[in-house]
Amino acid sequence: SSSLYDICNVDLYNTWLNLVQKEKVVVHTTVYDENIPVRYGVRLNSQHQCEEFVLSDSQDSRIQQINETLSGGVTAAPSDKSDNHEGNLIIHDGPFAAQLLLIRTLRPKPSAGFGIGSPSSIPPPYNAEEDSFVTGPLRLSNRPRAAIIDSDRQQLHTPWDVYHNVSPVDARGHFLLLPTLQDKNKNWRSQTLLSSDCHDLVHLASSVEPMGSLLVSFNSVGAGASQNHIHCHAWPSPPLALETTKSKKGRSGGWESYAISQTNSMYDFIDLFDGQVEVTFLKYPCLCVELSSAATATAADMMDDTMTIEKSDRFTLLGKALSSVLDAIGDAPFNIGIMNRPSYNYDEDGGDEEMASDNLIHSTKTMTNDDSDNLSDANDLKGQEENASVDVDVYVFVRSKERSSILPASKLGSSEMMGVFHVNSYQDLLDLQNHQHHNEEEEEVDDKSRGHDHSHDHDHEELDHIDEGPMAQALREVSYEPREELWETIKERLMGLDS
């Protein structure tokens, strides 16, 4: 069938379906301290939809609860902001969402020295004998490689391997991207980004089709990483928890579905390389620096068939700026989220920022497990985007710690920083709801005491949620401080590139 997401012209969507159909996204292992044998993964159900499953002869209550949740037998606490989507309990708080992923509690144990809440992004010394990607029962050589992306496709420094994740966060697809294992001397190394990796990741993300249909992300040590081998993640966008949401502009592109991509407030910004790279210090609960490539072609240029937009140069500059930001933040833990999108341009009269191709139609349907309704929409969107220039947004989140007191049992990674929380226990989901309801009740009492009228608050509702909800509070707790001082360090480093 047609593809819902590609990278570098590699059809990852149908690759995922083939892997699921051949029962390759399945793990046989033992879990918990009792070493309970289980078989879990993703399969096709009778409606040919991808679904998660767990099989075990054990009557362990934890496994039973996972299956009850997957079957929809467990419902969230009464709330008009919760729903059960394809066996995934989800709650919403403004632009943020939390999704219960109990099956993720079965995933492999972290590498030695990981998962201990390190305040530093510097990993332990690399040891191939302890690297689960290259040794042991879950080593990647035991899995079918989903794809290899040749280095000459997107001006990459090295080929990149693509493997399925054995514990996916999304039944529609979840991949590991890593510099090819075939080059042992160069690419068997720890979970640290080199400048060449920054270059490659920007170029890889720029190639995603349809635009914004995949999020490419990275977790450092102390910020959600669990394995000490260089790797990134890619999964469909919008994620399940946000697939029915739209940005306030009314569009439903994956690149603007997350809380961070709907954040328009900022503290400061700078332009680099004659405007080909824009860097913004966003007003967001966790310290976030957004780096964006900027197509310099005008709308008139884009209508000119003889006009060739040179995009590789600005993506190379964007990768260089990203590497410089990482140098500036030192050993602070961090996360990165990268997505491509249609280019934005300003009109010649200095008016508001608009989409470069205003006739680009964004389908209100998004990827679901019932893909038959969406394939034609995806193909239409792909065709409409062919003539639109592509740009890339990179979000760098700088952290002080890995966990928040609001969700002490959960490590917060790139998904949480972007605005979607993957919750590993039913109680944690209820706690988030309770925090949310408590905050709303306090706000209501406070407003009544001041005689506040909400009739004109609709324009500020989104920003209020970003500032005040429990998920925003969790992000604020793990943010690097003092953020203003670090921004000045980052800005000074970046301006040195442009001198």
Side-chain angles (χ1 to χ4, degrees), residues 39-337:
R39 180 174 180 266
Y40 74 90
V42 179
R43 64 188 177 192
L44 292 179
N45 62 20
S46 58
Q47 286 77 42
H48 301 286
Q49 300 170 340
C50 291
E51 67 174 14
E52 295 173 305
F53 72 92
V54 180
L55 299 176
S56 177
D57 294 332
S58 171
Q59 299 301 310
D60 185 88
S61 60
R62 292 164 293 187
I63 295 176
Q64 289 179 347
Q65 186 180 43
I66 294 175
N67 279 315
E68 288 174 1
T69 304
L70 293 177
S71 66
V74 175
T75 57
S79 170
D80 59 359
K81 296 183 179 180
S82 65
D83 59 84
N84 193 322
H85 183 91
E86 305 290 348
N88 295 283
L89 292 178
I90 298 168
I91 63 172
H92 294 92
D93 182 15
F96 295 97
Q99 179 179 352
L100 181 63
L101 293 176
L102 288 181
I103 199 169
R104 290 277 288 170
T105 62
L106 306 177
R107 64 185 181 273
K109 295 180 180 180
S111 296
F114 282 60
I116 58 176
S118 171
S120 170
S121 64
I122 299 176
Y126 178 75
N127 183 349
E129 295 180 356
E130 297 177 349
D131 182 356
S132 65
F133 281 12
V134 299
T135 188
L138 294 178
R139 62 186 180 274
L140 296 181
S141 61
N142 284 348
R143 309 178 202 177
R145 186 170 56 188
I148 182 168
I149 300 173
D150 296 332
S151 56
D152 58 354
R153 287 196 181 185
Q154 287 292 127
Q155 302 181 14
L156 307 177
H157 284 89
T158 183
W160 283 68
D161 291 340
V162 184
Y163 288 91
H164 70 271
N165 193 314
V166 296
S167 297
V169 301
D170 194 321
R172 304 168 304 168
H174 182 175
F175 297 92
L176 301 175
L177 307 179
L178 60 157
T180 182
L181 293 174
Q182 294 177 352
D183 191 341
K184 182 176 179 179
N185 292 331
K186 183 178 180 181
N187 295 331
W188 287 31
R189 49 188 169 90
S190 61
Q191 181 69 346
T192 302
L193 287 177
L194 305 178
S195 59
S196 57
D197 300 324
C198 295
H199 170 99
D200 286 3
L201 288 175
V202 168
H203 282 79
L204 287 169
S206 74
S207 71
V208 169
E209 294 183 353
M211 295 185 208
S213 60
L214 283 175
L215 170 69
V216 176
S217 66
F218 176 87
N219 300 322
S220 81
V221 178
S226 62
Q227 303 301 320
N228 195 22
H229 186 113
I230 179 64
H231 69 285
C232 303
H233 296 265
W235 57 69
S237 184
L240 285 173
L242 298 177
E243 69 171 1
T244 59
T245 65
K246 293 183 180 180
S247 73
K248 61 185 180 181
K249 291 184 179 181
R251 303 186 177 103
S252 57
W255 64 87
E256 54 187 358
S257 61
Y258 287 92
I260 185 61
S261 54
Q262 297 181 40
T263 302
N264 292 321
S265 299
M266 65 180 178
Y267 297 111
D268 196 6
F269 75 95
I270 57 174
D271 288 338
L272 302 173
F273 308 117
D274 296 324
Q276 294 186 79
V277 174
E278 301 170 349
V279 185
T280 309
F281 179 21
L282 292 176
K283 186 178 181 181
Y284 193 67
C286 183
L287 192 165
C288 181
V289 176
E290 178 186 11
L291 303 95
S292 301
S293 65
T296 56
T298 65
D301 290 332
M302 295 180 67
M303 297 297 291
D304 184 353
D305 292 337
T306 64
M307 175 69 181
T308 300
I309 301 174
E310 295 295 338
K311 60 183 180 180
S312 59
D313 287 343
R314 69 179 182 277
F315 294 152
T316 297
L317 295 174
L318 181 60
K320 184 180 296 186
L322 172 58
S323 178
S324 183
V325 168
L326 298 186
D327 287 341
I329 67 177
D331 62 358
F334 65 92
N335 306 96
I336 298 175

